[in-house]
């Protein structure tokens, strides 16, 4: 089991298993969401994700195109985001407690990356994953 929390600790959650893989997205939305060059996140099955505290403190901002940022209403940290209509939860990796042995399996939207944001793994893509399934497959999450 792996636990995680927001900056202030109001929002707490756990995962059944430590993620082994993550991805980075370099698009302008993820850049502004995080304040750095890219997000760094993974996806877990909804059945493997548990809220422990603070779920009611979560605020949501959604762009008309569908991009959504869920964040702690107390400290503003981006928090896990259940994918609407899909049995998965998006998890920002930096919220997890303790060391994690995980590997980057994809960089996305590299065409949108800032010139000062150079980090890439072996699998990098000019655009976003075509579908959620493509991302799930890249992350090697067993169904
Ligand atoms: Zn917080
Ligand atoms: Zn993005």
């Amino acid at each position: 089991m792996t636990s995680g929390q927001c900056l202030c600790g109001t929002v707490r959650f756990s995962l059944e298993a430590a993620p082994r893989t993550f991805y980075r997205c370099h698009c302008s939305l993820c850049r502004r969401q995080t304040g750095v060059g890219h997000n760094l996140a993974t996806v877990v099955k909804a059945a493997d994700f548990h809220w422990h505290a603070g779920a009611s403190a979560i605020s949501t901002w959604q762009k008309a195109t569908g991009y959504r940022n869920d964040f702690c209403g107390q400290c503003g940290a981006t928090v896990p985001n259940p994918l609407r209509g899909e049995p998965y939860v998006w998890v920002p990796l930096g919220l997890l407690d303790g060391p994690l042995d995980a590997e980057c399996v994809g960089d996305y939207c590299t065409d949108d990356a800032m010139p000062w944001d150079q980090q890439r793994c072996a699998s990098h893509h000019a655009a976003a994953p075509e579908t959620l399934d493509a991302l799930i497959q890249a992350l090697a999450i067993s169904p």
Side-chain angles (χ1 to χ4, degrees):
M1 199 197 76
T2 297
S3 60
Q5 57 185 292
C6 67
L7 186 56
C8 73
T10 297
V11 177
R12 293 173 185 273
F13 60 93
S14 67
L15 313 177
E16 291 282 334
R20 306 299 304 271
T21 57
F22 63 88
Y23 75 97
R24 292 184 285 251
C25 180
H26 302 258
C27 81
S28 62
L29 294 169
C30 291
R31 191 174 78 238
R32 293 198 168 94
Q33 180 201 42
T34 57
V36 293
H38 50 74
N39 77 355
L40 203 155
T42 194
V43 174
V44 300
K45 285 184 279 187
D48 294 342
F49 181 94
H50 309 285
W51 294 111
H52 290 285
S56 62
I58 296 172
S59 295
T60 293
W61 173 81
Q62 185 157 15
K63 199 174 164 68
T65 53
Y67 188 97
R68 194 169 109 240
N69 186 31
D70 284 5
F71 54 97
C72 171
Q74 298 295 317
C75 70
T78 293
V79 298
N81 180 329
L83 302 178
R84 301 283 190 265
E86 301 282 353
Y88 295 100
V89 179
W90 178 88
V91 179
L93 218 64
L95 270 53
L96 300 176
D97 301 318
L100 197 65
D101 185 17
E103 163 191 21
C104 186
V105 294
D107 281 275
Y108 296 96
C109 297
T110 57
D111 271 3
D112 297 338
M114 283 289 176
W116 41 260
D117 172 26
Q118 297 287 337
Q119 195 174 19
R120 305 285 185 273
C121 70
S123 173
H124 50 88
H125 312 269
E130 301 242 321
T131 60
L132 175 63
D133 278 350
L135 179 61
I136 298 289
Q137 207 162 50
L139 290 165
I141 296 164
S142 54

